[in-house]
Amino acid sequence: MNVYLIDDEPLTLVDAGPNSGTSLDVLQRGIAGLWHSMEDIELVILTHQHIDHLGLVSLVAAHSGAEVAAIDVAVPYVENFSLEAQADDEFARDMMLRHGIPEDVATALQSVSRAFRAWGSRVEVTRVLEDGEAMDFRDRTLHVHHRPGHSPTDTVFHDRERRILIAADHLLAHISSNPLITRPREQGGERPQALVSYLESLRATREMDVELVLPGHGEPITDHRALIDERFALHERRAGKIHRLIAERPRSAYEIAQALWGNIAVTQAYLTLSEVLGHVDVLLNSGRAREVERNGVSVFEAA
Ligand SMILES: [Zn+2]
């Protein structure tokens, strides 16, 4: 994954990487290569709640005394990391069973997720950011924009003058950012429609005047509009394919995933479920699909 150092005042690190000895080593060497040390960092900005981005933040903050900035909606998540992750896992399990994923797969995936949790850690947010605010540095201003979808807390940072967008996992060159289904913010609330809000977020980013997008993984992006249009086309094709599958016969989300991708590796079960449900949401919203229950499992039929 990528982290960025903004050589300005304050000296700023954008994301910190997963909580592991190897990535700490890489991070320290990377910072030293830019003639600074971890102790010099004055501000760490978080782009979203995923563990591969926030795991090392508390360690960096403890070593340097840096402020930690994150958008308001991310605060409860990063400050209560393990409780939130636990609740996410329980929600994921319910979702998997409800959508036809076999119980042994759901159970196996839960232990994988528990093991992964060691890559994360909680951190206190000392500077709460708001959607639309401007962060002033000595030599630049970054505009903060909330772009939910890939995760509910995705935040991008726009340097209008340099036409640079720090976009983290909101837009990636080599893979489409999987909009993971997440639990509702309030107990018992409606499940957020991750793909629907992701597409909305992409439309907003498409309008931005940007020359260079700095992603959370992989290479920088120089033509964000072409890439976003590719993503729109991909999602449209996939929704059409899913619509044809449920027009043949009603299917659960798991059956749809199997029809699309064949035998799915256990570790991919939740990702593919998220992908299918995202498109089903699009079809449900436009009245092209209906959700019905069959033996405690949700199935979707063409409307
Ligand atoms: Zn992510």
Side-chain angles (χ1 to χ4, degrees):
M1 61 87 55
N2 302 329
V3 306
Y4 296 95
L5 189 73
I6 303 176
D7 202 343
D8 203 332
E9 263 170 43
L11 182 68
T12 300
L13 185 67
V14 181
D15 286 340
N19 185 12
S20 83
T22 322
S23 48
L24 177 63
D25 211 45
V26 172
L27 179 64
Q28 274 175 321
R29 267 186 285 131
I31 296 171
L34 298 167
W35 310 105
H36 289 286
S37 76
M38 205 165 87
E39 287 69 28
D40 303 337
I41 307 275
E42 297 171 293
L43 173 68
V44 184
I45 298 178
L46 271 173
T47 61
H48 66 301
Q49 69 199 54
H50 286 161
I51 52 176
D52 51 336
H53 297 255
L54 69 79
L56 276 179
V57 174
S58 63
L59 212 133
V60 173
H63 270 66
S64 60
E67 294 245 43
V68 175
I71 197 154
D72 47 9
V73 287
V75 174
Y77 198 93
V78 300
E79 291 197 339
N80 307 298
F81 173 74
S82 47
L83 279 177
E84 294 278 334
Q86 171 77 29
D88 279 353
D89 282 357
E90 280 158 22
F91 170 81
R93 184 185 170 81
D94 289 347
M95 287 300 284
M96 288 190 273
L97 298 179
R98 181 169 159 207
H99 291 286
I101 292 184
E103 198 164 350
D104 57 329
V105 174
T107 305
L109 196 52
Q110 286 223 288
S111 16
V112 173
S113 175
R114 254 196 303 278
F116 270 133
R117 221 177 291 155
W119 302 96
S121 78
R122 74 165 297 278
V123 63
E124 199 160 328
V125 176
T126 57
R127 180 164 169 197
V128 179
L129 305 175
E130 274 170 44
D131 184 28
E133 91 167 71
M135 300 177 79
D136 287 319
F137 297 74
R138 188 194 55 213
D139 297 335
R140 80 200 68 215
T141 299
L142 293 180
H143 287 265
V144 177
H145 300 281
H146 185 209
R147 291 280 192 268
H150 164 72
S151 87
T153 55
D154 281 18
T155 314
V156 300
F157 302 87
H158 190 198
D159 183 335
R160 290 181 186 168
E161 201 188 325
R162 293 175 181 76
R163 301 173 66 216
I164 293 176
L165 186 72
I166 302 172
D169 294 3
H170 169 61
L171 192 62
L172 303 174
H174 56 300
I175 41 160
S176 92
S177 307
N178 201 313
L180 282 177
I181 43 172
T182 51
R183 97 197 119 85
R185 233 19 272 185
E186 304 93 49
Q187 276 268 327
E190 283 277 301
R191 170 174 68 76
Q193 296 193 326
L195 180 64
V196 172
S197 59
Y198 182 55
L199 295 174
E200 244 167 65
S201 292
L202 279 183
R203 274 190 283 276
T205 298
R206 196 187 182 286
E207 293 308 307
M208 295 177 107
D209 181 27
V210 168
E211 191 176 59
L212 184 70
V213 175
L214 302 176
H217 305 268
E219 296 301 310
I221 296 154
T222 47
D223 191 347
H224 73 298
R225 292 201 172 116
L227 184 62
I228 289 171
D229 287 343
E230 258 177 56
R231 297 287 179 260
F232 286 150
L234 168 85
H235 289 304
E236 216 160 284
R237 278 198 306 277
R238 204 156 271 170
K241 219 168 173 183
I242 290 174
H243 187 255
R244 283 194 293 282
L245 285 171
I246 59 172
E248 276 172 27
R249 60 182 171 82
R251 295 175 203 246
S252 69
Y254 185 58
E255 290 167 335
I256 295 170
Q258 283 178 311
L260 286 174
W261 298 295
N263 248 339
I264 299 152
V266 169
T267 49
Q268 301 298 309
Y270 197 64
L271 291 175
T272 52
L273 177 65
S274 293
E275 180 76 28
V276 168
L277 284 179
H279 292 102
V280 164
D281 284 340
V282 173
L283 295 173
L284 288 170
N285 292 355
S286 63
R288 296 168 72 201
R290 257 192 311 266
E291 182 170 358
V292 291
E293 210 183 293
R294 190 178 66 190
N295 311 323
V297 172
S298 283
V299 293
F300 300 98
E301 55 186 32

Short mmCIF file of all heavy atoms in Angstrom, two decimals, residues 3-24:
data_model
loop_
_atom_site.label_atom_id
_atom_site.label_comp_id
_atom_site.label_asym_id
_atom_site.label_seq_id
_atom_site.Cartn_x
_atom_site.Cartn_y
_atom_site.Cartn_z
N VAL A 3 1.83 5.15 1.24
CA VAL A 3 1.65 6.27 2.16
C VAL A 3 2.36 7.46 1.51
O VAL A 3 3.21 7.29 0.64
CB VAL A 3 2.24 5.98 3.57
CG1 VAL A 3 1.67 4.69 4.13
CG2 VAL A 3 3.75 5.93 3.54
N TYR A 4 1.97 8.66 1.91
CA TYR A 4 2.55 9.86 1.30
C TYR A 4 3.09 10.78 2.39
O TYR A 4 2.47 10.92 3.45
CB TYR A 4 1.48 10.59 0.47
CG TYR A 4 1.00 9.76 -0.70
CD1 TYR A 4 -0.16 8.98 -0.60
CD2 TYR A 4 1.71 9.71 -1.89
CE1 TYR A 4 -0.58 8.18 -1.67
CE2 TYR A 4 1.30 8.93 -2.96
CZ TYR A 4 0.15 8.17 -2.84
OH TYR A 4 -0.27 7.38 -3.88
N LEU A 5 4.24 11.38 2.09
CA LEU A 5 4.80 12.36 3.00
C LEU A 5 4.65 13.74 2.34
O LEU A 5 5.11 13.93 1.21
CB LEU A 5 6.28 12.06 3.27
CG LEU A 5 6.91 12.90 4.38
CD1 LEU A 5 6.41 12.45 5.76
CD2 LEU A 5 8.43 12.82 4.33
N ILE A 6 4.00 14.66 3.02
CA ILE A 6 3.86 16.02 2.50
C ILE A 6 4.92 16.87 3.20
O ILE A 6 4.84 17.12 4.41
CB ILE A 6 2.45 16.58 2.74
CG1 ILE A 6 1.39 15.66 2.11
CG2 ILE A 6 2.34 17.98 2.17
CD1 ILE A 6 -0.04 16.09 2.39
N ASP A 7 5.91 17.27 2.40
CA ASP A 7 7.05 18.00 2.95
C ASP A 7 6.67 19.47 3.05
O ASP A 7 6.92 20.25 2.15
CB ASP A 7 8.28 17.81 2.04
CG ASP A 7 9.56 18.08 2.80
OD1 ASP A 7 9.49 18.71 3.88
OD2 ASP A 7 10.62 17.67 2.31
N ASP A 8 6.02 19.82 4.12
CA ASP A 8 5.49 21.16 4.30
C ASP A 8 5.44 21.41 5.80
O ASP A 8 5.94 20.60 6.58
CB ASP A 8 4.08 21.21 3.66
CG ASP A 8 3.66 22.62 3.28
OD1 ASP A 8 4.13 23.58 3.93
OD2 ASP A 8 2.85 22.78 2.35
N GLU A 9 4.83 22.48 6.19
CA GLU A 9 4.59 22.73 7.60
C GLU A 9 3.10 22.73 7.86
O GLU A 9 2.41 23.57 7.28
CB GLU A 9 5.18 24.08 8.02
CG GLU A 9 6.56 23.96 8.65
CD GLU A 9 7.21 25.32 8.81
OE1 GLU A 9 6.47 26.26 9.24
OE2 GLU A 9 8.39 25.46 8.49
N PRO A 10 2.60 21.81 8.66
CA PRO A 10 3.31 20.74 9.36
C PRO A 10 3.77 19.63 8.42
O PRO A 10 3.15 19.40 7.40
CB PRO A 10 2.26 20.21 10.35
CG PRO A 10 0.95 20.50 9.69
CD PRO A 10 1.15 21.79 8.93
N LEU A 11 4.87 18.95 8.82
CA LEU A 11 5.34 17.77 8.09
C LEU A 11 4.28 16.68 8.29
O LEU A 11 3.96 16.32 9.42
CB LEU A 11 6.69 17.31 8.63
CG LEU A 11 7.31 16.10 7.90
CD1 LEU A 11 7.71 16.46 6.47
CD2 LEU A 11 8.51 15.55 8.67
N THR A 12 3.75 16.21 7.16
CA THR A 12 2.52 15.40 7.24
C THR A 12 2.66 14.05 6.57
O THR A 12 3.16 13.96 5.44
CB THR A 12 1.35 16.19 6.58
OG1 THR A 12 1.20 17.41 7.28
CG2 THR A 12 0.05 15.39 6.64
N LEU A 13 2.19 13.04 7.27
CA LEU A 13 2.15 11.70 6.71
C LEU A 13 0.69 11.37 6.41
O LEU A 13 -0.18 11.57 7.25
CB LEU A 13 2.72 10.71 7.73
CG LEU A 13 2.88 9.26 7.30
CD1 LEU A 13 3.96 9.14 6.22
CD2 LEU A 13 3.23 8.38 8.50
N VAL A 14 0.42 10.90 5.18
CA VAL A 14 -0.94 10.49 4.84
C VAL A 14 -0.99 8.97 4.91
O VAL A 14 -0.34 8.29 4.13
CB VAL A 14 -1.34 10.97 3.43
CG1 VAL A 14 -2.77 10.55 3.11
CG2 VAL A 14 -1.18 12.48 3.31
N ASP A 15 -1.74 8.45 5.87
CA ASP A 15 -1.84 7.03 6.19
C ASP A 15 -0.48 6.51 6.68
O ASP A 15 0.56 7.18 6.52
CB ASP A 15 -2.32 6.19 5.01
CG ASP A 15 -3.81 6.37 4.75
OD1 ASP A 15 -4.52 6.82 5.66
OD2 ASP A 15 -4.26 6.06 3.63
N ALA A 16 -0.50 5.33 7.30
CA ALA A 16 0.75 4.86 7.89
C ALA A 16 1.06 3.40 7.60
O ALA A 16 2.14 2.93 7.90
CB ALA A 16 0.72 5.09 9.40
N GLY A 17 0.12 2.67 7.02
CA GLY A 17 0.38 1.26 6.73
C GLY A 17 -0.09 0.35 7.84
O GLY A 17 -0.46 0.81 8.92
N PRO A 18 -0.07 -0.95 7.57
CA PRO A 18 -0.53 -1.92 8.56
C PRO A 18 0.44 -2.03 9.74
O PRO A 18 1.63 -1.70 9.62
CB PRO A 18 -0.59 -3.23 7.78
CG PRO A 18 0.33 -3.05 6.63
CD PRO A 18 0.34 -1.58 6.31
N ASN A 19 -0.07 -2.49 10.87
CA ASN A 19 0.70 -2.61 12.10
C ASN A 19 1.57 -3.87 12.06
O ASN A 19 1.17 -4.91 12.54
CB ASN A 19 -0.29 -2.67 13.27
CG ASN A 19 0.40 -2.68 14.60
OD1 ASN A 19 1.60 -2.42 14.70
ND2 ASN A 19 -0.36 -2.99 15.64
N SER A 20 2.76 -3.74 11.45
CA SER A 20 3.68 -4.89 11.44
C SER A 20 5.11 -4.39 11.44
O SER A 20 5.38 -3.25 11.05
CB SER A 20 3.44 -5.74 10.19
OG SER A 20 4.13 -5.21 9.08
N GLY A 21 6.01 -5.24 11.92
CA GLY A 21 7.42 -4.86 11.97
C GLY A 21 7.96 -4.53 10.59
O GLY A 21 8.69 -3.55 10.42
N THR A 22 7.59 -5.32 9.61
CA THR A 22 8.08 -5.08 8.24
C THR A 22 7.64 -3.72 7.72
O THR A 22 8.43 -2.98 7.16
CB THR A 22 7.51 -6.16 7.28
OG1 THR A 22 7.49 -7.41 7.96
CG2 THR A 22 8.32 -6.23 6.01
N SER A 23 6.36 -3.40 7.92
CA SER A 23 5.94 -2.13 7.33
C SER A 23 6.49 -0.95 8.13
O SER A 23 6.75 0.12 7.55
CB SER A 23 4.42 -2.05 7.14
OG SER A 23 3.75 -2.44 8.28
N LEU A 24 6.72 -1.12 9.43
CA LEU A 24 7.35 -0.06 10.21
C LEU A 24 8.75 0.21 9.65
O LEU A 24 9.17 1.37 9.47
CB LEU A 24 7.44 -0.46 11.68
CG LEU A 24 8.15 0.52 12.61
CD1 LEU A 24 7.41 1.85 12.66
CD2 LEU A 24 8.30 -0.04 14.02
#
